mmCIF file with all atom_site columns, all heavy atoms in Angstrom:
data_model
loop_
_atom_site.group_PDB
_atom_site.id
_atom_site.type_symbol
_atom_site.label_atom_id
_atom_site.label_alt_id
_atom_site.label_comp_id
_atom_site.label_asym_id
_atom_site.label_entity_id
_atom_site.label_seq_id
_atom_site.pdbx_PDB_ins_code
_atom_site.Cartn_x
_atom_site.Cartn_y
_atom_site.Cartn_z
_atom_site.occupancy
_atom_site.B_iso_or_equiv
_atom_site.pdbx_formal_charge
_atom_site.auth_seq_id
_atom_site.auth_comp_id
_atom_site.auth_asym_id
_atom_site.auth_atom_id
_atom_site.pdbx_PDB_model_num
ATOM 1   N N   . ARG A 1 1  ? 48.186 147.916 129.206 1.00 93.00 ? 1  ARG A N   1
ATOM 2   C CA  . ARG A 1 1  ? 49.736 147.812 129.438 1.00 93.00 ? 1  ARG A CA  1
ATOM 3   C C   . ARG A 1 1  ? 49.902 146.547 130.342 1.00 93.00 ? 1  ARG A C   1
ATOM 4   O O   . ARG A 1 1  ? 49.512 146.549 131.461 1.00 93.00 ? 1  ARG A O   1
ATOM 5   C CB  . ARG A 1 1  ? 50.247 149.017 130.045 1.00 93.00 ? 1  ARG A CB  1
ATOM 6   C CG  . ARG A 1 1  ? 51.762 149.018 130.133 1.00 93.00 ? 1  ARG A CG  1
ATOM 7   C CD  . ARG A 1 1  ? 52.375 150.151 130.761 1.00 93.00 ? 1  ARG A CD  1
ATOM 8   N NE  . ARG A 1 1  ? 53.817 149.934 130.813 1.00 93.00 ? 1  ARG A NE  1
ATOM 9   C CZ  . ARG A 1 1  ? 54.542 150.898 131.436 1.00 93.00 ? 1  ARG A CZ  1
ATOM 10  N NH1 . ARG A 1 1  ? 54.106 151.994 131.964 1.00 93.00 ? 1  ARG A NH1 1
ATOM 11  N NH2 . ARG A 1 1  ? 55.913 150.691 131.500 1.00 93.00 ? 1  ARG A NH2 1
ATOM 12  N N   . SER A 1 2  ? 50.676 145.632 129.793 1.00 90.00 ? 2  SER A N   1
ATOM 13  C CA  . SER A 1 2  ? 51.015 144.408 130.524 1.00 90.00 ? 2  SER A CA  1
ATOM 14  C C   . SER A 1 2  ? 49.843 143.733 131.180 1.00 90.00 ? 2  SER A C   1
ATOM 15  O O   . SER A 1 2  ? 49.892 143.320 132.239 1.00 90.00 ? 2  SER A O   1
ATOM 16  C CB  . SER A 1 2  ? 52.107 144.799 131.618 1.00 90.00 ? 2  SER A CB  1
ATOM 17  O OG  . SER A 1 2  ? 53.126 145.441 131.106 1.00 90.00 ? 2  SER A OG  1
ATOM 18  N N   . GLY A 1 3  ? 48.853 143.605 130.413 1.00 90.00 ? 3  GLY A N   1
ATOM 19  C CA  . GLY A 1 3  ? 47.601 142.978 130.894 1.00 90.00 ? 3  GLY A CA  1
ATOM 20  C C   . GLY A 1 3  ? 46.694 143.855 131.731 1.00 90.00 ? 3  GLY A C   1
ATOM 21  O O   . GLY A 1 3  ? 45.626 143.445 132.225 1.00 90.00 ? 3  GLY A O   1
ATOM 22  N N   . GLN A 1 4  ? 47.171 144.856 132.175 1.00 92.00 ? 4  GLN A N   1
ATOM 23  C CA  . GLN A 1 4  ? 46.304 145.875 133.036 1.00 92.00 ? 4  GLN A CA  1
ATOM 24  C C   . GLN A 1 4  ? 45.520 146.766 132.151 1.00 92.00 ? 4  GLN A C   1
ATOM 25  O O   . GLN A 1 4  ? 45.965 147.515 131.324 1.00 92.00 ? 4  GLN A O   1
ATOM 26  C CB  . GLN A 1 4  ? 47.315 146.693 133.937 1.00 92.00 ? 4  GLN A CB  1
ATOM 27  C CG  . GLN A 1 4  ? 46.633 147.711 134.869 1.00 92.00 ? 4  GLN A CG  1
ATOM 28  C CD  . GLN A 1 4  ? 47.583 148.716 135.579 1.00 92.00 ? 4  GLN A CD  1
ATOM 29  O OE1 . GLN A 1 4  ? 48.697 148.799 135.209 1.00 92.00 ? 4  GLN A OE1 1
ATOM 30  N NE2 . GLN A 1 4  ? 46.876 149.381 136.575 1.00 92.00 ? 4  GLN A NE2 1
ATOM 31  N N   . ARG A 1 5  ? 44.186 146.600 132.302 1.00 94.00 ? 5  ARG A N   1
ATOM 32  C CA  . ARG A 1 5  ? 43.325 147.433 131.626 1.00 94.00 ? 5  ARG A CA  1
ATOM 33  C C   . ARG A 1 5  ? 42.760 148.657 132.483 1.00 94.00 ? 5  ARG A C   1
ATOM 34  O O   . ARG A 1 5  ? 42.172 148.323 133.543 1.00 94.00 ? 5  ARG A O   1
ATOM 35  C CB  . ARG A 1 5  ? 42.174 146.660 131.173 1.00 94.00 ? 5  ARG A CB  1
ATOM 36  C CG  . ARG A 1 5  ? 41.018 147.226 130.364 1.00 94.00 ? 5  ARG A CG  1
ATOM 37  C CD  . ARG A 1 5  ? 40.105 146.211 129.785 1.00 94.00 ? 5  ARG A CD  1
ATOM 38  N NE  . ARG A 1 5  ? 38.772 146.654 129.650 1.00 94.00 ? 5  ARG A NE  1
ATOM 39  C CZ  . ARG A 1 5  ? 37.805 146.348 128.755 1.00 94.00 ? 5  ARG A CZ  1
ATOM 40  N NH1 . ARG A 1 5  ? 38.093 145.226 128.118 1.00 94.00 ? 5  ARG A NH1 1
ATOM 41  N NH2 . ARG A 1 5  ? 36.629 146.887 128.653 1.00 94.00 ? 5  ARG A NH2 1
ATOM 42  N N   . VAL A 1 6  ? 43.012 149.909 132.023 1.00 96.00 ? 6  VAL A N   1
ATOM 43  C CA  . VAL A 1 6  ? 42.649 151.076 132.670 1.00 96.00 ? 6  VAL A CA  1
ATOM 44  C C   . VAL A 1 6  ? 41.707 151.823 131.846 1.00 96.00 ? 6  VAL A C   1
ATOM 45  O O   . VAL A 1 6  ? 42.034 152.333 130.718 1.00 96.00 ? 6  VAL A O   1
ATOM 46  C CB  . VAL A 1 6  ? 43.914 151.909 132.985 1.00 96.00 ? 6  VAL A CB  1
ATOM 47  C CG1 . VAL A 1 6  ? 43.598 153.219 133.783 1.00 96.00 ? 6  VAL A CG1 1
ATOM 48  C CG2 . VAL A 1 6  ? 44.877 151.124 133.773 1.00 96.00 ? 6  VAL A CG2 1
ATOM 49  N N   . ARG A 1 7  ? 40.522 152.207 132.505 1.00 97.00 ? 7  ARG A N   1
ATOM 50  C CA  . ARG A 1 7  ? 39.526 153.152 131.765 1.00 97.00 ? 7  ARG A CA  1
ATOM 51  C C   . ARG A 1 7  ? 40.060 154.375 131.571 1.00 97.00 ? 7  ARG A C   1
ATOM 52  O O   . ARG A 1 7  ? 40.275 155.073 132.742 1.00 97.00 ? 7  ARG A O   1
ATOM 53  C CB  . ARG A 1 7  ? 38.194 153.024 132.391 1.00 97.00 ? 7  ARG A CB  1
ATOM 54  C CG  . ARG A 1 7  ? 37.049 153.720 131.520 1.00 97.00 ? 7  ARG A CG  1
ATOM 55  C CD  . ARG A 1 7  ? 35.745 153.585 132.343 1.00 97.00 ? 7  ARG A CD  1
ATOM 56  N NE  . ARG A 1 7  ? 34.735 154.250 131.652 1.00 97.00 ? 7  ARG A NE  1
ATOM 57  C CZ  . ARG A 1 7  ? 34.403 155.479 131.907 1.00 97.00 ? 7  ARG A CZ  1
ATOM 58  N NH1 . ARG A 1 7  ? 35.206 156.223 132.875 1.00 97.00 ? 7  ARG A NH1 1
ATOM 59  N NH2 . ARG A 1 7  ? 33.372 156.119 131.257 1.00 97.00 ? 7  ARG A NH2 1
ATOM 60  N N   . ILE A 1 8  ? 39.978 155.109 130.506 1.00 97.00 ? 8  ILE A N   1
ATOM 61  C CA  . ILE A 1 8  ? 40.486 156.491 130.393 1.00 97.00 ? 8  ILE A CA  1
ATOM 62  C C   . ILE A 1 8  ? 39.470 157.531 130.035 1.00 97.00 ? 8  ILE A C   1
ATOM 63  O O   . ILE A 1 8  ? 39.640 158.617 130.198 1.00 97.00 ? 8  ILE A O   1
ATOM 64  C CB  . ILE A 1 8  ? 41.793 156.515 129.366 1.00 97.00 ? 8  ILE A CB  1
ATOM 65  C CG1 . ILE A 1 8  ? 41.394 156.132 128.035 1.00 97.00 ? 8  ILE A CG1 1
ATOM 66  C CG2 . ILE A 1 8  ? 43.063 155.923 129.898 1.00 97.00 ? 8  ILE A CG2 1
ATOM 67  C CD1 . ILE A 1 8  ? 42.467 156.412 126.967 1.00 97.00 ? 8  ILE A CD1 1
ATOM 68  N N   . GLY A 1 9  ? 38.353 156.964 129.695 1.00 97.00 ? 9  GLY A N   1
ATOM 69  C CA  . GLY A 1 9  ? 37.230 157.846 129.442 1.00 97.00 ? 9  GLY A CA  1
ATOM 70  C C   . GLY A 1 9  ? 36.154 157.443 128.431 1.00 97.00 ? 9  GLY A C   1
ATOM 71  O O   . GLY A 1 9  ? 36.247 156.266 128.028 1.00 97.00 ? 9  GLY A O   1
ATOM 72  N N   . ILE A 1 10 ? 35.256 158.288 128.068 1.00 97.00 ? 10 ILE A N   1
ATOM 73  C CA  . ILE A 1 10 ? 34.200 158.032 127.212 1.00 97.00 ? 10 ILE A CA  1
ATOM 74  C C   . ILE A 1 10 ? 34.514 158.906 125.970 1.00 97.00 ? 10 ILE A C   1
ATOM 75  O O   . ILE A 1 10 ? 34.628 160.014 125.984 1.00 97.00 ? 10 ILE A O   1
ATOM 76  C CB  . ILE A 1 10 ? 32.793 158.299 127.677 1.00 97.00 ? 10 ILE A CB  1
ATOM 77  C CG1 . ILE A 1 10 ? 32.502 157.265 128.793 1.00 97.00 ? 10 ILE A CG1 1
ATOM 78  C CG2 . ILE A 1 10 ? 31.735 158.268 126.651 1.00 97.00 ? 10 ILE A CG2 1
ATOM 79  C CD1 . ILE A 1 10 ? 31.273 157.645 129.437 1.00 97.00 ? 10 ILE A CD1 1
ATOM 80  N N   . ALA A 1 11 ? 34.371 158.280 124.699 1.00 96.00 ? 11 ALA A N   1
ATOM 81  C CA  . ALA A 1 11 ? 34.379 158.969 123.442 1.00 96.00 ? 11 ALA A CA  1
ATOM 82  C C   . ALA A 1 11 ? 32.962 159.042 122.799 1.00 96.00 ? 11 ALA A C   1
ATOM 83  O O   . ALA A 1 11 ? 32.456 157.872 122.329 1.00 96.00 ? 11 ALA A O   1
ATOM 84  C CB  . ALA A 1 11 ? 35.361 158.420 122.605 1.00 96.00 ? 11 ALA A CB  1
ATOM 85  N N   . PRO A 1 12 ? 32.206 160.252 122.952 1.00 96.00 ? 12 PRO A N   1
ATOM 86  C CA  . PRO A 1 12 ? 30.952 160.161 122.441 1.00 96.00 ? 12 PRO A CA  1
ATOM 87  C C   . PRO A 1 12 ? 30.844 160.053 120.920 1.00 96.00 ? 12 PRO A C   1
ATOM 88  O O   . PRO A 1 12 ? 31.789 160.371 120.199 1.00 96.00 ? 12 PRO A O   1
ATOM 89  C CB  . PRO A 1 12 ? 30.396 161.532 122.781 1.00 96.00 ? 12 PRO A CB  1
ATOM 90  C CG  . PRO A 1 12 ? 31.301 162.041 123.937 1.00 96.00 ? 12 PRO A CG  1
ATOM 91  C CD  . PRO A 1 12 ? 32.484 161.302 123.743 1.00 96.00 ? 12 PRO A CD  1
ATOM 92  N N   . GLY A 1 13 ? 29.714 159.504 120.339 1.00 93.00 ? 13 GLY A N   1
ATOM 93  C CA  . GLY A 1 13 ? 29.620 159.365 119.005 1.00 93.00 ? 13 GLY A CA  1
ATOM 94  C C   . GLY A 1 13 ? 29.667 160.674 118.172 1.00 93.00 ? 13 GLY A C   1
ATOM 95  O O   . GLY A 1 13 ? 29.396 161.735 118.674 1.00 93.00 ? 13 GLY A O   1
ATOM 96  N N   . ASN A 1 14 ? 30.236 160.552 116.900 1.00 95.00 ? 14 ASN A N   1
ATOM 97  C CA  . ASN A 1 14 ? 30.423 161.715 116.122 1.00 95.00 ? 14 ASN A CA  1
ATOM 98  C C   . ASN A 1 14 ? 31.130 162.929 116.602 1.00 95.00 ? 14 ASN A C   1
ATOM 99  O O   . ASN A 1 14 ? 30.829 164.062 116.294 1.00 95.00 ? 14 ASN A O   1
ATOM 100 C CB  . ASN A 1 14 ? 28.917 162.249 115.570 1.00 95.00 ? 14 ASN A CB  1
ATOM 101 C CG  . ASN A 1 14 ? 28.309 161.078 114.780 1.00 95.00 ? 14 ASN A CG  1
ATOM 102 O OD1 . ASN A 1 14 ? 28.911 160.414 114.042 1.00 95.00 ? 14 ASN A OD1 1
ATOM 103 N ND2 . ASN A 1 14 ? 27.033 160.794 115.165 1.00 95.00 ? 14 ASN A ND2 1
ATOM 104 N N   . THR A 1 15 ? 32.142 162.663 117.457 1.00 97.00 ? 15 THR A N   1
ATOM 105 C CA  . THR A 1 15 ? 32.967 163.753 118.084 1.00 97.00 ? 15 THR A CA  1
ATOM 106 C C   . THR A 1 15 ? 34.356 163.492 118.043 1.00 97.00 ? 15 THR A C   1
ATOM 107 O O   . THR A 1 15 ? 34.785 162.188 118.146 1.00 97.00 ? 15 THR A O   1
ATOM 108 C CB  . THR A 1 15 ? 32.405 164.156 119.497 1.00 97.00 ? 15 THR A CB  1
ATOM 109 O OG1 . THR A 1 15 ? 32.545 162.984 120.360 1.00 97.00 ? 15 THR A OG1 1
ATOM 110 C CG2 . THR A 1 15 ? 30.997 164.529 119.560 1.00 97.00 ? 15 THR A CG2 1
ATOM 111 N N   . LYS A 1 16 ? 35.264 164.455 118.298 1.00 98.00 ? 16 LYS A N   1
ATOM 112 C CA  . LYS A 1 16 ? 36.566 164.332 118.730 1.00 98.00 ? 16 LYS A CA  1
ATOM 113 C C   . LYS A 1 16 ? 36.806 164.440 120.213 1.00 98.00 ? 16 LYS A C   1
ATOM 114 O O   . LYS A 1 16 ? 36.309 165.484 120.614 1.00 98.00 ? 16 LYS A O   1
ATOM 115 C CB  . LYS A 1 16 ? 37.474 165.159 117.803 1.00 98.00 ? 16 LYS A CB  1
ATOM 116 C CG  . LYS A 1 16 ? 37.688 164.832 116.390 1.00 98.00 ? 16 LYS A CG  1
ATOM 117 C CD  . LYS A 1 16 ? 38.611 165.652 115.796 1.00 98.00 ? 16 LYS A CD  1
ATOM 118 C CE  . LYS A 1 16 ? 38.793 165.211 114.286 1.00 98.00 ? 16 LYS A CE  1
ATOM 119 N NZ  . LYS A 1 16 ? 39.566 166.074 113.540 1.00 98.00 ? 16 LYS A NZ  1
ATOM 120 N N   . THR A 1 17 ? 37.468 163.683 120.812 1.00 97.00 ? 17 THR A N   1
ATOM 121 C CA  . THR A 1 17 ? 37.608 163.798 122.266 1.00 97.00 ? 17 THR A CA  1
ATOM 122 C C   . THR A 1 17 ? 39.060 163.623 122.663 1.00 97.00 ? 17 THR A C   1
ATOM 123 O O   . THR A 1 17 ? 39.665 162.701 122.159 1.00 97.00 ? 17 THR A O   1
ATOM 124 C CB  . THR A 1 17 ? 36.742 162.676 123.088 1.00 97.00 ? 17 THR A CB  1
ATOM 125 O OG1 . THR A 1 17 ? 35.460 162.690 122.505 1.00 97.00 ? 17 THR A OG1 1
ATOM 126 C CG2 . THR A 1 17 ? 36.770 162.860 124.554 1.00 97.00 ? 17 THR A CG2 1
ATOM 127 N N   . ASN A 1 18 ? 39.588 164.418 123.655 1.00 98.00 ? 18 ASN A N   1
ATOM 128 C CA  . ASN A 1 18 ? 40.897 164.305 124.076 1.00 98.00 ? 18 ASN A CA  1
ATOM 129 C C   . ASN A 1 18 ? 40.887 163.733 125.511 1.00 98.00 ? 18 ASN A C   1
ATOM 130 O O   . ASN A 1 18 ? 40.231 164.274 126.412 1.00 98.00 ? 18 ASN A O   1
ATOM 131 C CB  . ASN A 1 18 ? 41.622 165.730 124.163 1.00 98.00 ? 18 ASN A CB  1
ATOM 132 C CG  . ASN A 1 18 ? 41.853 166.310 122.846 1.00 98.00 ? 18 ASN A CG  1
ATOM 133 O OD1 . ASN A 1 18 ? 42.216 165.508 121.838 1.00 98.00 ? 18 ASN A OD1 1
ATOM 134 N ND2 . ASN A 1 18 ? 41.876 167.560 122.738 1.00 98.00 ? 18 ASN A ND2 1
ATOM 135 N N   . LEU A 1 19 ? 41.443 162.529 125.696 1.00 98.00 ? 19 LEU A N   1
ATOM 136 C CA  . LEU A 1 19 ? 41.593 161.814 126.886 1.00 98.00 ? 19 LEU A CA  1
ATOM 137 C C   . LEU A 1 19 ? 43.001 161.832 127.313 1.00 98.00 ? 19 LEU A C   1
ATOM 138 O O   . LEU A 1 19 ? 43.882 161.446 126.596 1.00 98.00 ? 19 LEU A O   1
ATOM 139 C CB  . LEU A 1 19 ? 41.050 160.369 126.674 1.00 98.00 ? 19 LEU A CB  1
ATOM 140 C CG  . LEU A 1 19 ? 39.618 160.281 126.170 1.00 98.00 ? 19 LEU A CG  1
ATOM 141 C CD1 . LEU A 1 19 ? 39.275 158.775 125.803 1.00 98.00 ? 19 LEU A CD1 1
ATOM 142 C CD2 . LEU A 1 19 ? 38.553 160.856 127.014 1.00 98.00 ? 19 LEU A CD2 1
ATOM 143 N N   . THR A 1 20 ? 43.168 162.166 128.631 1.00 97.00 ? 20 THR A N   1
ATOM 144 C CA  . THR A 1 20 ? 44.534 162.141 129.200 1.00 97.00 ? 20 THR A CA  1
ATOM 145 C C   . THR A 1 20 ? 44.872 160.686 129.793 1.00 97.00 ? 20 THR A C   1
ATOM 146 O O   . THR A 1 20 ? 44.191 160.273 130.664 1.00 97.00 ? 20 THR A O   1
ATOM 147 C CB  . THR A 1 20 ? 44.675 163.283 130.159 1.00 97.00 ? 20 THR A CB  1
ATOM 148 O OG1 . THR A 1 20 ? 44.350 164.495 129.606 1.00 97.00 ? 20 THR A OG1 1
ATOM 149 C CG2 . THR A 1 20 ? 46.162 163.342 130.807 1.00 97.00 ? 20 THR A CG2 1
ATOM 150 N N   . LEU A 1 21 ? 46.129 160.322 129.518 1.00 96.00 ? 21 LEU A N   1
ATOM 151 C CA  . LEU A 1 21 ? 46.453 158.969 130.115 1.00 96.00 ? 21 LEU A CA  1
ATOM 152 C C   . LEU A 1 21 ? 47.150 159.323 131.543 1.00 96.00 ? 21 LEU A C   1
ATOM 153 O O   . LEU A 1 21 ? 47.655 160.191 131.655 1.00 96.00 ? 21 LEU A O   1
ATOM 154 C CB  . LEU A 1 21 ? 47.594 158.345 129.170 1.00 96.00 ? 21 LEU A CB  1
ATOM 155 C CG  . LEU A 1 21 ? 47.141 157.874 127.890 1.00 96.00 ? 21 LEU A CG  1
ATOM 156 C CD1 . LEU A 1 21 ? 48.236 157.258 127.077 1.00 96.00 ? 21 LEU A CD1 1
ATOM 157 C CD2 . LEU A 1 21 ? 46.063 156.743 128.099 1.00 96.00 ? 21 LEU A CD2 1
ATOM 158 N N   . PRO A 1 22 ? 46.804 158.357 132.390 1.00 93.00 ? 22 PRO A N   1
ATOM 159 C CA  . PRO A 1 22 ? 47.379 158.533 133.708 1.00 93.00 ? 22 PRO A CA  1
ATOM 160 C C   . PRO A 1 22 ? 48.994 158.369 133.595 1.00 93.00 ? 22 PRO A C   1
ATOM 161 O O   . PRO A 1 22 ? 49.424 157.509 132.852 1.00 93.00 ? 22 PRO A O   1
ATOM 162 C CB  . PRO A 1 22 ? 46.784 157.292 134.555 1.00 93.00 ? 22 PRO A CB  1
ATOM 163 C CG  . PRO A 1 22 ? 45.576 156.838 133.763 1.00 93.00 ? 22 PRO A CG  1
ATOM 164 C CD  . PRO A 1 22 ? 45.924 157.190 132.350 1.00 93.00 ? 22 PRO A CD  1
ATOM 165 N N   . SER A 1 23 ? 49.688 159.153 134.459 1.00 91.00 ? 23 SER A N   1
ATOM 166 C CA  . SER A 1 23 ? 51.179 159.140 134.304 1.00 91.00 ? 23 SER A CA  1
ATOM 167 C C   . SER A 1 23 ? 51.716 157.841 134.731 1.00 91.00 ? 23 SER A C   1
ATOM 168 O O   . SER A 1 23 ? 52.760 157.461 134.442 1.00 91.00 ? 23 SER A O   1
ATOM 169 C CB  . SER A 1 23 ? 51.736 160.240 135.284 1.00 91.00 ? 23 SER A CB  1
ATOM 170 O OG  . SER A 1 23 ? 51.235 159.987 136.535 1.00 91.00 ? 23 SER A OG  1
ATOM 171 N N   . THR A 1 24 ? 50.901 156.995 135.555 1.00 90.00 ? 24 THR A N   1
ATOM 172 C CA  . THR A 1 24 ? 51.375 155.640 135.909 1.00 90.00 ? 24 THR A CA  1
ATOM 173 C C   . THR A 1 24 ? 51.476 154.661 134.700 1.00 90.00 ? 24 THR A C   1
ATOM 174 O O   . THR A 1 24 ? 52.250 153.811 134.743 1.00 90.00 ? 24 THR A O   1
ATOM 175 C CB  . THR A 1 24 ? 50.370 155.066 136.968 1.00 90.00 ? 24 THR A CB  1
ATOM 176 O OG1 . THR A 1 24 ? 49.061 155.007 136.489 1.00 90.00 ? 24 THR A OG1 1
ATOM 177 C CG2 . THR A 1 24 ? 50.532 155.920 138.314 1.00 90.00 ? 24 THR A CG2 1
ATOM 178 N N   . LEU A 1 25 ? 50.755 154.930 133.648 1.00 91.00 ? 25 LEU A N   1
ATOM 179 C CA  . LEU A 1 25 ? 50.839 154.107 132.491 1.00 91.00 ? 25 LEU A CA  1
ATOM 180 C C   . LEU A 1 25 ? 51.911 154.546 131.651 1.00 91.00 ? 25 LEU A C   1
ATOM 181 O O   . LEU A 1 25 ? 52.458 153.561 130.908 1.00 91.00 ? 25 LEU A O   1
ATOM 182 C CB  . LEU A 1 25 ? 49.483 154.241 131.610 1.00 91.00 ? 25 LEU A CB  1
ATOM 183 C CG  . LEU A 1 25 ? 48.243 153.374 132.268 1.00 91.00 ? 25 LEU A CG  1
ATOM 184 C CD1 . LEU A 1 25 ? 47.110 153.678 131.342 1.00 91.00 ? 25 LEU A CD1 1
ATOM 185 C CD2 . LEU A 1 25 ? 48.622 151.961 132.260 1.00 91.00 ? 25 LEU A CD2 1
ATOM 186 N N   . VAL A 1 26 ? 52.246 155.775 131.631 1.00 92.00 ? 26 VAL A N   1
ATOM 187 C CA  . VAL A 1 26 ? 53.321 156.257 130.688 1.00 92.00 ? 26 VAL A CA  1
ATOM 188 C C   . VAL A 1 26 ? 54.519 156.980 131.520 1.00 92.00 ? 26 VAL A C   1
ATOM 189 O O   . VAL A 1 26 ? 54.610 158.111 131.471 1.00 92.00 ? 26 VAL A O   1
ATOM 190 C CB  . VAL A 1 26 ? 52.815 157.259 129.674 1.00 92.00 ? 26 VAL A CB  1
ATOM 191 C CG1 . VAL A 1 26 ? 53.739 157.666 128.662 1.00 92.00 ? 26 VAL A CG1 1
ATOM 192 C CG2 . VAL A 1 26 ? 51.506 156.691 128.998 1.00 92.00 ? 26 VAL A CG2 1
ATOM 193 N N   . SER A 1 27 ? 55.269 156.143 132.245 1.00 87.00 ? 27 SER A N   1
ATOM 194 C CA  . SER A 1 27 ? 56.473 156.545 132.863 1.00 87.00 ? 27 SER A CA  1
ATOM 195 C C   . SER A 1 27 ? 57.635 156.090 132.051 1.00 87.00 ? 27 SER A C   1
ATOM 196 O O   . SER A 1 27 ? 58.041 155.043 132.276 1.00 87.00 ? 27 SER A O   1
ATOM 197 C CB  . SER A 1 27 ? 56.437 156.119 134.287 1.00 87.00 ? 27 SER A CB  1
ATOM 198 O OG  . SER A 1 27 ? 56.452 154.747 134.269 1.00 87.00 ? 27 SER A OG  1
ATOM 199 N N   . GLY A 1 28 ? 58.130 156.854 131.102 1.00 90.00 ? 28 GLY A N   1
ATOM 200 C CA  . GLY A 1 28 ? 59.083 156.412 130.095 1.00 90.00 ? 28 GLY A CA  1
ATOM 201 C C   . GLY A 1 28 ? 58.411 155.805 128.982 1.00 90.00 ? 28 GLY A C   1
ATOM 202 O O   . GLY A 1 28 ? 57.261 156.060 128.803 1.00 90.00 ? 28 GLY A O   1
ATOM 203 N N   . LEU A 1 29 ? 59.081 155.275 128.166 1.00 93.00 ? 29 LEU A N   1
ATOM 204 C CA  . LEU A 1 29 ? 58.636 154.570 126.967 1.00 93.00 ? 29 LEU A CA  1
ATOM 205 C C   . LEU A 1 29 ? 57.650 153.479 127.471 1.00 93.00 ? 29 LEU A C   1
ATOM 206 O O   . LEU A 1 29 ? 58.083 152.650 128.313 1.00 93.00 ? 29 LEU A O   1
ATOM 207 C CB  . LEU A 1 29 ? 59.630 153.984 125.962 1.00 93.00 ? 29 LEU A CB  1
ATOM 208 C CG  . LEU A 1 29 ? 60.410 154.995 125.320 1.00 93.00 ? 29 LEU A CG  1
ATOM 209 C CD1 . LEU A 1 29 ? 61.520 154.265 124.364 1.00 93.00 ? 29 LEU A CD1 1
ATOM 210 C CD2 . LEU A 1 29 ? 59.500 155.903 124.429 1.00 93.00 ? 29 LEU A CD2 1
ATOM 211 N N   . ALA A 1 30 ? 56.477 153.258 126.802 1.00 93.00 ? 30 ALA A N   1
ATOM 212 C CA  . ALA A 1 30 ? 55.517 152.328 127.172 1.00 93.00 ? 30 ALA A CA  1
ATOM 213 C C   . ALA A 1 30 ? 54.739 151.706 125.997 1.00 93.00 ? 30 ALA A C   1
ATOM 214 O O   . ALA A 1 30 ? 54.484 152.458 125.158 1.00 93.00 ? 30 ALA A O   1
ATOM 215 C CB  . ALA A 1 30 ? 54.474 152.856 128.126 1.00 93.00 ? 30 ALA A CB  1
ATOM 216 N N   . SER A 1 31 ? 54.652 150.413 125.979 1.00 95.00 ? 31 SER A N   1
ATOM 217 C CA  . SER A 1 31 ? 53.992 149.792 124.802 1.00 95.00 ? 31 SER A CA  1
ATOM 218 C C   . SER A 1 31 ? 52.519 149.642 125.307 1.00 95.00 ? 31 SER A C   1
ATOM 219 O O   . SER A 1 31 ? 52.234 148.940 126.312 1.00 95.00 ? 31 SER A O   1
ATOM 220 C CB  . SER A 1 31 ? 54.496 148.416 124.569 1.00 95.00 ? 31 SER A CB  1
ATOM 221 O OG  . SER A 1 31 ? 55.774 148.509 123.991 1.00 95.00 ? 31 SER A OG  1
ATOM 222 N N   . LEU A 1 32 ? 51.548 150.291 124.525 1.00 96.00 ? 32 LEU A N   1
ATOM 223 C CA  . LEU A 1 32 ? 50.143 150.221 124.954 1.00 96.00 ? 32 LEU A CA  1
ATOM 224 C C   . LEU A 1 32 ? 49.350 149.893 123.855 1.00 96.00 ? 32 LEU A C   1
ATOM 225 O O   . LEU A 1 32 ? 49.664 149.961 122.567 1.00 96.00 ? 32 LEU A O   1
ATOM 226 C CB  . LEU A 1 32 ? 49.750 151.622 125.357 1.00 96.00 ? 32 LEU A CB  1
ATOM 227 C CG  . LEU A 1 32 ? 50.494 152.298 126.513 1.00 96.00 ? 32 LEU A CG  1
ATOM 228 C CD1 . LEU A 1 32 ? 49.933 153.786 126.629 1.00 96.00 ? 32 LEU A CD1 1
ATOM 229 C CD2 . LEU A 1 32 ? 50.121 151.648 127.752 1.00 96.00 ? 32 LEU A CD2 1
ATOM 230 N N   . ARG A 1 33 ? 48.225 149.242 124.224 1.00 96.00 ? 33 ARG A N   1
ATOM 231 C CA  . ARG A 1 33 ? 47.035 148.964 123.176 1.00 96.00 ? 33 ARG A CA  1
ATOM 232 C C   . ARG A 1 33 ? 45.887 149.706 123.733 1.00 96.00 ? 33 ARG A C   1
ATOM 233 O O   . ARG A 1 33 ? 45.763 150.024 124.901 1.00 96.00 ? 33 ARG A O   1
ATOM 234 C CB  . ARG A 1 33 ? 46.646 147.458 123.251 1.00 96.00 ? 33 ARG A CB  1
ATOM 235 C CG  . ARG A 1 33 ? 47.696 146.580 122.655 1.00 96.00 ? 33 ARG A CG  1
ATOM 236 C CD  . ARG A 1 33 ? 47.214 145.148 122.536 1.00 96.00 ? 33 ARG A CD  1
ATOM 237 N NE  . ARG A 1 33 ? 48.160 144.175 122.068 1.00 96.00 ? 33 ARG A NE  1
ATOM 238 C CZ  . ARG A 1 33 ? 48.405 143.840 120.852 1.00 96.00 ? 33 ARG A CZ  1
ATOM 239 N NH1 . ARG A 1 33 ? 47.623 144.412 119.902 1.00 96.00 ? 33 ARG A NH1 1
ATOM 240 N NH2 . ARG A 1 33 ? 49.411 143.016 120.547 1.00 96.00 ? 33 ARG A NH2 1
#
């Protein structure tokens, strides 16, 4: 977000993983990559 790259976790191969975004990245509407 805005050039700031934040690691949110690891997604192991051949699995579905739920990763929670830090609230500092999503305070209101946020454009993310």
